[in-house]
């Protein structure tokens, strides 16, 4: 039952992604690539790219996108529902508890310990997106022929614009895309 | 009156979710601006606690932020309106994109565009990691720094399931709370 699978896969993503934003990315990757093989790593990378360029949380975007790709509109509905339901239950419960007890200290301790783990997992997901783009073999290697020059240049330029010039991430990504389109049009086959 | 509150919740979250780039934290800030500063329906201190709940709960912060505000203003009907408002825009946008993605995936220009952007996305993500990781290191809590290193090793080299890593980190947090409570009582 594909709808149930979609619902359950994204329910777990919704239930275990603490910290917002990129924190859901490692879980999404685990569920839709490792566990269910719903997307290739290329499609997943495109999905993250698209998510960056549209409003809306990565988890919801992924649920709707994967659901649509796998089982059409009903698939998108069940995946998205699964993704949001844990939030609805958990946050509503906490809001209720807060209204009664007005105390959040345990919650904040847990969150504090989750943050370092989440940072590391986002780093791993980022590496898994970056390495296949830069190294044809998919793993770290600086031998001649084992590094793709243009993506390395884009990566370095993007880091410079983000860190030193404080440019908007969406603008930086679009510039990388435009640079690659221009390069392929001007120098086909290289 | 109640209807007015509900439609206000729905339209606010719908609007913010449609036009806010830059993630959940931005949306939470804008929710505060709307309901605390403009409408005065929630007071400042309570909003800070609500934001803390939204940030400490699992799931997308934009959705969680909408839920806490919806619950505060109108209980369960408020939650439903807030969630619908927050989810409908990405649902519609990504459904349209998904349709075109299948149709245009093989297109040469789009392929090149997406390929080029991958390196940029990698830079954006690692830049975020650098900031977040820097905060952990600056906090100078050895336990948290070890936790960060251990999580990286487990995820990258041993491919440990992400859910187990999260559970282990959460247990560490609970353990910390218990130890502190015991010490305070002793």
């Amino acid at each position: 039952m594909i709808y149930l699978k979609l619902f359950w896969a994204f329910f777990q993503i919704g239930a275990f992604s603490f910290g917002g934003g990129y924190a859901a990315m490692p879980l999404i990757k685990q569920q839709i690539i490792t566990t269910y093989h719903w997307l290739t790593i290329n499609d997943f990378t495109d999905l993250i790219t698209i998510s960056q360029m549209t409003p809306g949380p990565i988890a919801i975007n992924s649920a709707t996108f994967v659901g649509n790709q796998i089982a059409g509109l009903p698939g998108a509905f069940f995946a998205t529902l699964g993704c949001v339901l844990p939030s609805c239950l958990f946050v509503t419960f906490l809001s209720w508890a807060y209204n009664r007890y007005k105390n959040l200290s345990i919650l904040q301790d847990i969150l504090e310990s989750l943050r370092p783990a989440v940072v590391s997992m986002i780093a791993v997901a980022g590496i898994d997106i970056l390495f296949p783009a830069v190294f044809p073999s998919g793993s770290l290697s600086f031998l001649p022929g084992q590094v793709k020059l243009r993506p390395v240049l884009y990566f370095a330029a993007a880091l410079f614009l983000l860190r030193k010039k404080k440019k908007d991430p969406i603008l930086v990504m679009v510039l990388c895309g435009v640079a690659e389109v221009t390069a392929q049009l001007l120098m086909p086959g290289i | 009156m109640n209807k007015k509150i509900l439609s206000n919740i729905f339209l606010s979250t719908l609007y913010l979710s449609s036009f806010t780039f830059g993630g959940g934290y931005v949306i939470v800030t804008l929710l505060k601006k709307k309901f605390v500063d403009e409408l005065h329906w929630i007071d400042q201190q309570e909003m800070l606690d609500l934001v803390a709940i939204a940030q400490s709960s699992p799931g997308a912060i934009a959705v969680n932020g909408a839920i806490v505000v919806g619950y505060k203003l109108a209980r369960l009907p408020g939650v439903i309106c807030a969630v619908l408002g927050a989810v409908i825009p990405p649902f519609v946008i990504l459904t349209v994109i998904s349709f075109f993605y299948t149709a245009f995936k093989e297109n040469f220009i789009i392929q090149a565009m997406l390929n080029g952007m991958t390196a940029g996305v990698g830079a954006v993500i690692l830049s975020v990691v650098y900031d977040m990781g820097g905060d952990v290191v600056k906090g100078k809590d050895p336990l948290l720094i070890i936790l960060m290193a251990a999580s990286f090793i487990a995820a990258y080299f041993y491919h440990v399931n992400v859910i187990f890593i999260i559970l282990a980190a959460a247990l560490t947090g609970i353990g910390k709370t218990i130890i502190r409570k015991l010490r305070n009582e002793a």
Side-chain angles (χ1 to χ4, degrees):
Chain A
M1 183 65 184
I2 188 66
Y3 299 135
L4 203 64
K5 267 190 193 163
L6 281 165
F7 174 86
W8 181 233
F10 280 95
F11 186 90
Q12 289 175 57
I13 291 170
F16 287 99
S17 58
F18 287 86
Y22 297 93
M25 201 171 54
L27 273 155
I28 298 168
K29 186 167 162 275
Q30 167 118 25
Q31 292 289 358
I32 68 182
I33 297 183
T34 315
T35 309
Y36 290 104
H37 310 288
W38 281 328
L39 295 187
T40 64
I41 182 82
N42 275 332
D43 290 338
F44 174 73
T45 304
D46 289 347
L47 167 61
I48 297 295
T49 308
I50 293 167
S51 276
Q52 301 281 326
M53 312 212 27
T54 55
I58 291 182
I60 309 278
N61 288 350
S62 305
T64 306
F65 184 86
V66 174
N68 265 305
Q69 294 282 318
I70 299 301
L73 209 53
F77 174 80
F78 282 105
T80 308
L81 181 70
C83 187
V84 183
L85 203 55
S87 281
C88 295
L89 300 175
F90 203 88
V91 178
T92 305
F93 170 74
L94 280 184
S95 303
W96 170 83
Y98 169 74
N99 250 348
R100 290 195 73 156
Y101 306 107
K102 307 267 175 195
N103 186 346
L104 299 169
S105 81
I106 277 205
L107 206 62
Q108 275 160 353
D109 271 338
I110 295 176
L111 190 68
E112 193 189 61
S113 297
L114 281 170
R115 195 166 298 132
V118 168
V119 174
S120 287
M121 289 185 300
I122 297 172
V124 171
I127 289 170
D128 287 344
I129 285 179
L130 185 66
F131 277 12
V134 173
F135 308 107
S137 68
S139 53
L140 195 64
S141 163
F142 292 103
L143 296 169
Q146 290 294 306
V147 185
K148 291 194 224 162
L149 194 58
R150 280 208 305 269
V152 174
L153 284 178
Y154 302 151
F155 177 72
L159 269 190
F160 175 75
L161 290 174
L162 287 167
R163 310 280 336 164
K164 296 288 172 201
K165 300 283 175 191
K166 308 283 177 212
K167 294 286 183 199
D168 179 62
I170 296 177
L171 175 73
V172 171
M173 288 178 338
V174 170
L175 287 176
C176 290
V178 169
E180 177 65 14
V181 171
T182 315
Q184 290 207 13
L185 287 175
L186 292 179
M187 309 176 287
I190 299 180
Chain B
M1 183 58 195
N2 201 25
K3 234 180 198 161
K4 192 176 147 235
I5 292 180
L6 288 181
S7 74
N8 217 318
I9 294 171
F10 175 75
L11 292 176
S12 302
T13 54
L14 185 78
Y15 176 79
L16 291 178
S17 183
S18 309
F19 297 106
T20 314
F21 292 85
Y25 292 100
V26 181
I27 290 201
V28 168
T29 314
L30 293 174
L31 280 173
K32 174 193 167 285
K33 210 177 244 166
K34 171 95 189 173
F35 289 104
V36 178
D37 304 340
E38 268 176 44
L39 296 173
H40 305 288
W41 286 357
I42 304 175
D43 77 71
Q44 178 89 20
Q45 186 52 46
E46 180 153 26
M47 189 67 196
L48 285 179
D49 286 340
L50 294 181
V51 170
I53 292 175
Q55 291 178 340
S56 2
S57 303
I61 294 197
V63 176
N64 295 352
I67 295 173
V68 288
V69 169
Y71 185 85
K72 159 74 193 163
L73 295 176
R75 300 295 178 254
L76 280 186
V79 170
I80 292 167
C81 289
V83 171
L84 282 179
V87 171
I88 287 173
F91 188 86
V92 171
I93 294 170
L94 264 289
T95 298
V96 172
I97 287 177
S98 169
F99 178 75
F100 284 112
Y101 179 75
T102 319
F104 286 121
K105 194 162 58 165
E106 308 305 328
N107 179 288
F108 165 76
I109 304 268
I110 289 181
Q111 192 94 66
M113 186 84 193
L114 286 169
N115 277 346
M117 285 199 289
T118 302
V121 173
V124 170
I125 294 170
L126 293 182
S127 173
V128 168
V129 167
Y130 182 82
D131 288 334
M132 292 174 76
D135 286 345
V136 173
V137 173
K138 265 184 239 149
K140 291 197 177 132
D141 182 336
L143 179 71
L144 296 185
I145 296 173
I146 291 170
L147 198 58
M148 186 161 76
S151 311
F152 185 84
I153 292 167
Y156 191 67
F157 293 105
Y158 293 100
H159 306 287
V160 174
N161 189 315
V162 172
I163 290 172
F164 293 139
I165 298 177
I166 289 169
L167 287 177
L171 285 178
T172 311
I174 294 169
K176 241 176 89 176
T177 312
I178 293 171
I179 289 171
R180 204 182 46 219
K181 286 241 162 86
L182 290 177
R183 267 195 199 146
N184 286 346
E185 278 164 20

